[in-house]
Amino acid sequence: MIPGSGIRLWKAPAKTFPGSGKCGLLSGMGESVSSDRYTPRQRTQYRQLLAEDLEIFDRHLQRSDFDDHGSIGLELELNLIDSDMQPARLNREVLAGLDEEFQSEIGSFNVEMNHPPLSVQGDGLKRLEAGLVSRLNQVRASAATQGAGVAMIGTLPTITPEFLGDGLWMTQENRYNALNNAVMESRGELVHIDIADREHVVQDFADISPESTCTSIQLHLQLAPNRFADAWNASQAIAGVQAALSANSPLFLGRRVWHESRIPVFQQSIDTRTPELVTQGVRPRVWFGERWITSVFDLFEENVRYFSPLIAESRALSGTPMMRGRSPALHYLNLHNGTVWRWNRPIYAPGEQRSHLRLENRLLPAGPTPTDIVADAAFYYGLVKYLAEQNRPVWSRLTFADAEKNFLSGARSGLFARMTWPTLGQVNVADLVCDHLLPQAREGLERLEVDSDLIDLYLGIIDARARSRQNGATWQLRTLGRVEAPGSTPGSAGRAEALATMLRLYLANQATGDPVHTWDVP
C-alpha cells in the first residue's frame, strides 16, 4: 500500500474481475436468462427479494472486509464490418474462434473484449496497451476468417435506419430479448431519437436497436468501501472533461450531430419514460445522477428507490447461488443494478474469500487506437487519484448541476466546449486540461508509482490532443468535409459514399496505432 494513498497496488492474477463480462448493457446478469417476459407474480416477488438484498448489502458493507487491491481493468466493445464498410451480423461466428475473454453484445454486429485486471504501478499502463493490441489482433484474425473487419469507433458512421429496422440487428439471446421487451412494454410507444446540431436526426424505431450503435470502453477501478464515494464524486466531476477530450461519435445515421452522440442516443434508445413522465420529472434509467454521495450504498439505495425492476429473473432460474464462498451473491441487487445505466456505475462482486467493489467508468467511446485508450485511462486514473485526496475536494466547490451541464457540453461540443470549474469560472475545456488538470493527473500517477516515462508518454498524448483540438470526432468531421462531394445531403448516395471513404481512412490510420492527434486530414 502506498503511504497515504488509500489505494493498494498489486500484481493481479491473469483473469477477469469476478462478475465482469457482459456488463456493458446488463451488468450482473450472469450467463443466461430463462425467459424474455415475466408475470406480475414474478415481478412482485422480485421486488420483495430486491428490498431484502439491499438490506443484506447494507449489513455486508458494515461488517465485512472487502478486497482493497486498487487494481484496474478494461472492457472494450467493437463493431464488425464487411468490405463495403457496412455492419456485419457475424458476432456468433467470430466469437466461435475466440476464448472466454470475448463475449457477445446486444448487437449481432458487436463483440466485447475483457482485459484481465492488473496493477497500474510501474509499467502497468504499457502492459495494458500491449494486452489491448494482442486481443484486438485476435478479434481481427477471427473476423478475417469470416470475411469481416473490425472497427473500434464510438458509433459506426455507415449504419443506416434500414439496418436498424431489420430484426436481425439483435443477438438472439433471452437476456437481450428480455431487455428489449421490458423497455418497450414500459414505454408503450416507439423509441424516438431526436438529436440536433449541425444536422438533425429524427427517427422512430420499433425496438431499442439504436442502443447497439453505442460502442464504448469501460474503465474499472477496484476500491475499498471507505474510498468509493470520493472516487465516484471525482469521476462525476470530470465526466464532462472526459467526454470532450475523447469524443469519437460525431455521426449518427450519417448525420453530423453531437461530437459524442453516443450520450444522447444511449439515453433516448432505452428510455422507459413517455413524454408525460419526462415532464413530471421522472428520472431516466440512463442517468448522470442528481447529487454527490457519501457512500457506495447511496447509489444502490437510489436504484431500488427510484427504478422499477425490468428483468424479474429469479435467483433459482438464473442459476445464481445464494452465497459465493463467504460473500452474499446478491443476485437481485446486482441484476437490478445492471438495468440502471449510470455513466459511473458501482459494481459489487462477491468472492470466495472476500467481496470487492469496483467503479465502472462507462462514458468513453471505443477507439481511436489502443494508445489513445491507454492515454485516456492514464488521465482518468491519475486525476481521480489526485482529486479524491484533496483536502477540499472539487465537489465541495462545484455544484452537481454544473457537473452535469459540463458533461452535456463536453458531449455536444467536444474539444470546443466551455465548462464551469471552481476558481476559474467559465473556461475552454482545452485550456482547463492543459493548464490545470494535466499537472494534477501527473501528480496522481506519481503517487500511484507509475513509471515516469509512461506518465510522460500518455499524458503527453492528452496534452497534444487538447492543444491540437483533434480527437476522433474532429478528425471524422474534418475528413468527411474533405471527401464529400459538394452538395451532398444526409441520406444521399454521395453522403453514403463519403462516409464509407472516411471510415476506410479511419481504419487505415487506426491500423498504424498512432494516436489520433497525429492523423492527417486528407
Side-chain angles (χ1 to χ4, degrees), residues 305-444:
R305 189 196 321 162
Y306 295 144
F307 301 104
S308 58
L310 284 183
I311 311 295
E313 182 79 3
S314 75
R315 182 185 60 78
L317 287 175
S318 74
T320 305
M322 186 173 293
M323 300 288 292
R324 290 194 186 277
R326 300 179 181 179
S327 305
L330 301 182
H331 162 79
Y332 300 96
L333 192 68
N334 271 343
L335 177 53
H336 187 55
N337 186 50
T339 61
V340 178
W341 292 275
R342 297 177 184 271
W343 297 109
N344 285 294
R345 174 191 272 169
I347 301 289
Y348 164 79
E352 293 300 321
Q353 298 300 319
R354 294 193 295 182
S355 311
H356 82 250
L357 296 170
R358 298 196 307 277
L359 196 164
E360 184 185 53
N361 180 252
R362 304 168 42 78
L363 57 92
L364 295 176
T369 68
T371 303
D372 285 303
I373 288 173
V374 178
D376 290 332
F379 180 73
Y380 172 72
Y381 291 127
L383 194 52
V384 166
K385 172 66 176 174
Y386 177 89
L387 294 177
E389 295 179 356
Q390 284 183 301
N391 290 328
R392 191 176 175 216
V394 63
W395 57 90
S396 70
R397 298 171 287 150
L398 178 70
T399 69
F400 200 90
D402 279 338
E404 184 172 19
K405 289 176 185 176
N406 287 346
F407 177 57
L408 296 175
S409 177
R412 181 186 291 276
S413 303
L415 283 167
F416 300 95
R418 286 180 61 80
M419 298 192 176
T420 300
W421 201 254
T423 73
L424 302 177
Q426 284 283 307
V427 60
N428 292 327
V429 68
D431 296 333
L432 175 62
V433 169
C434 295
D435 298 339
H436 300 277
L437 300 185
L438 275 172
Q440 296 175 355
R442 175 177 294 275
E443 184 171 337

Side-chain angles (χ1 to χ4, degrees), residues 38 43 46 178-179 182-183 186 270 272 285 308-312 336 339 341:
Y38 299 92
R43 293 188 176 279
Y46 185 98
L179 176 69
V183 171
S186 295
I270 49 180
T272 56
R285 296 192 83 105
S308 58
L310 284 183
I311 311 295
H336 187 55
T339 61
W341 292 275

